[in-house]
Amino acid sequence: MKLFLSTVALFALFNVISGHAGHNHGPGGKHVNIPTKQLNDGNHIPILGLGTFGFGDIPKIRQAINWAVEAGYRHIDTAALYDNEAEIGKGISDVLKKGLVKREDLFITTKLWNDKHAKNQVVPALKESLSKLGLQYVDLYLIHSPEASKEDGSPADIDYLETWQGMEEAQKLGLAKSIGVSNFDTEQIDRIKAHSKVVPAVNQIEVHPMNTQEKTIKDCFERNIAVVAYSPFGFFVSRGGPSKDDPKIKSIAQKYGKSINQVLLRYLIERGLIPIPKSTNQNRMKENLDVFDFHLTPEEVSTMSSFNTNTSIFG
Ligand SMILES: NC(=O)c1ccc[n+]([C@@H]2O[C@H](COP(=O)([O-])OP(=O)(O)OC[C@H]3O[C@@H](n4cnc5c(N)ncnc54)[C@H](OP(=O)(O)O)[C@@H]3O)[C@@H](O)[C@H]2O)c1
Ligand SMILES: *[C@@H]1O[C@H](CO)[C@@H](O)[C@H](O)[C@H]1NC(C)=O
């Protein structure tokens, strides 16, 4: 519930600040092939995906999925919490019917919300998501957060180790090809590792230049866990963050003829992360995909990381 409320505040702010101003280095008709990364269970994840969480965006999501897949997106991130799985499902059905892609070309992630953490709630919750998405399986199912809650949002006393057993069952049933976690720290991941059969394939956490997450990322990589980076543009809304016109970042963008948003995504990719920028706008969606024709130097990655204040926009 805390996460949910602060998210409301965040998005109100975001629409003011991100403003969609400035550059449009969209690639026009260019089709982009997104590289993939192998997970610890052998499955492959495209290293950039489409985020889908935005207030007021649910009616736009079906069209957005069509545009995204046409542009080359194959990886789509949603969650039961976002209440958009049914619209995303319609968009997926559209692109499959149009023959743009086959189901196996897509990588669909959804997440278990905090009020379904009891072991026997996990498989039914996933089945409900699958029914909304119109799918037989998801490619990745995540525990959205280690914190369990009751339906009214108040805390529930359920250990995520129990939740993880439900996740393992979902994978065994073939309802999720890969299973993972979100918003977990190293200690929590190590408890799962010590007490469970399956090691999470992914940890999805907030990463951007003001929240560089060096320790958690290093620990995940040491444990062969891939890191998906959410709120890649969270930078612009962090308290005390630099402006879009910050000269250090602007000069990197100018050097490569790219937008600041594109540099923010490339920064995450250079660090071995998997960003999931959200947009429902066709041009910005294409812009966010057009990040595979340049590299940042290690010095430029350090420059970007120098903005770190360990500030979470959801904190
Ligand atoms: N696991 C978790 O707890 C968790 C938490 C937060 C987010 N997530 C996931 O991560 C995804 C991404 O994070 P986010 O949605 O918080 O934020 P984000 O992707 O960092 O930023 C999205 C905002 O930036 C705008 N935008 C997108 N591309 C742009 C561009 N090229 N130029 C200017 N503005 C641009 C979007 O507006 P338009 O749509 O109008 O373009 C939207 O307002 C979410 O959608 C969700 O799937 C997960
Ligand atoms: C961020 O946190 C790490 C510990 O995880 C610490 O070493 C570092 O000094 C912190 N940086 C800032 C700017 O607070």
Side-chain angles (χ1 to χ4, degrees):
M1 202 60 193
K2 186 175 145 243
L3 180 66
F4 186 72
L5 285 175
S6 49
T7 301
V8 175
L10 165 68
F11 271 88
L13 191 63
F14 221 136
N15 287 335
V16 176
I17 296 177
S18 73
H20 316 135
H23 321 259
N24 180 9
H25 295 265
K30 185 164 92 186
H31 183 88
V32 179
N33 286 313
I34 303 173
T36 61
K37 175 176 182 150
Q38 189 168 24
L39 299 173
N40 63 18
D41 57 15
N43 294 326
H44 290 82
I45 184 170
I47 65 165
L48 184 144
L50 182 74
T52 65
F53 182 47
F55 287 99
D57 273 340
I58 294 173
K60 300 185 205 157
I61 282 288
R62 179 179 186 167
Q63 175 67 72
I65 298 300
N66 277 266
W67 283 334
V69 173
E70 276 164 27
Y73 285 86
R74 296 294 176 263
H75 168 183
I76 296 164
D77 181 83
T78 183
L81 176 71
Y82 305 165
D83 202 23
N84 62 11
E85 289 168 312
E87 287 303 308
I88 288 177
K90 289 180 197 164
I92 293 171
S93 166
D94 293 339
V95 297
L96 294 175
K97 277 196 197 122
K98 283 194 236 171
L100 284 177
V101 284
K102 298 198 276 298
R103 169 66 186 92
E104 58 268 29
D105 301 326
L106 295 174
F107 190 99
I108 310 295
T109 301
T110 195
K111 312 186 193 85
L112 176 80
W113 186 237
N114 301 357
D115 62 357
K116 301 280 191 295
H117 271 214
K119 186 187 169 187
N120 65 5
Q121 288 181 302
V122 178
V123 166
L126 175 52
K127 283 183 173 166
E128 195 183 329
S129 287
L130 288 171
S131 149
K132 288 180 178 165
L133 288 162
L135 299 176
Q136 304 296 311
Y137 67 90
V138 287
D139 296 276
L140 179 61
Y141 198 41
L142 302 177
I143 302 180
H144 205 138
S145 139
E147 292 160 36
S149 67
K150 298 180 182 148
E151 265 181 55
D152 66 6
S154 63
D157 188 21
I158 303 175
D159 190 333
Y160 53 78
L161 287 182
E162 168 183 333
T163 316
W164 189 250
Q165 290 172 4
M167 300 292 281
E168 290 183 333
E169 192 186 332
Q171 187 179 37
K172 227 180 273 164
L173 291 170
L175 302 174
K177 300 278 185 203
S178 297
I179 53 175
V181 295
S182 180
N183 301 304
F184 275 54
D185 63 23
T186 303
E187 205 179 308
Q188 291 162 334
I189 285 173
D190 281 347
R191 270 191 80 226
I192 291 184
K193 274 195 65 170
H195 297 282
S196 317
K197 294 191 193 81
V198 181
V199 176
V202 163
N203 187 15
Q204 182 179 129
I205 55 174
E206 180 188 321
V207 194
H208 49 76
M210 289 193 68
N211 193 14
T212 53
Q213 300 262 28
E214 259 101 15
K215 181 182 184 314
T216 305
I217 292 168
K218 177 171 163 283
D219 292 341
C220 284
F221 287 175
E222 279 171 10
R223 290 156 180 76
N224 201 12
I225 296 168
V227 178
V228 171
Y230 73 67
S231 303
F233 307 139
F235 189 44
F236 298 125
V237 292
S238 290
R239 284 178 295 277
S243 79
K244 266 203 135 165
D245 294 322
D246 183 274
K248 276 195 247 170
I249 301 178
K250 216 173 165 181
S251 79
I252 296 174
Q254 278 165 353
K255 173 177 167 189
Y256 296 107
K258 292 285 177 180
S259 70
I260 287 171
N261 291 71
Q262 288 170 325
V263 170
L264 287 166
L265 295 172
R266 191 69 222 179
Y267 158 75
L268 297 167
I269 293 168
E270 300 299 357
R271 293 184 59 200
L273 307 171
I274 302 168
I276 46 170
K278 175 264 169 185
S279 186
T280 49
N281 172 281
Q282 191 176 19
N283 286 329
R284 288 190 286 279
M285 228 183 252
K286 286 183 184 173
E287 177 185 338
N288 296 343
L289 200 59
D290 189 20
V291 294
F292 296 103
D293 58 357
F294 75 113
H295 283 277
L296 302 184
T297 66
E299 291 73 26
E300 287 161 349
V301 170
S302 300
T303 300
M304 302 289 289
S305 285
S306 70
F307 291 99
N308 185 39
T309 53
N310 297 330
T311 307
S312 164
I313 50 178
F314 292 94

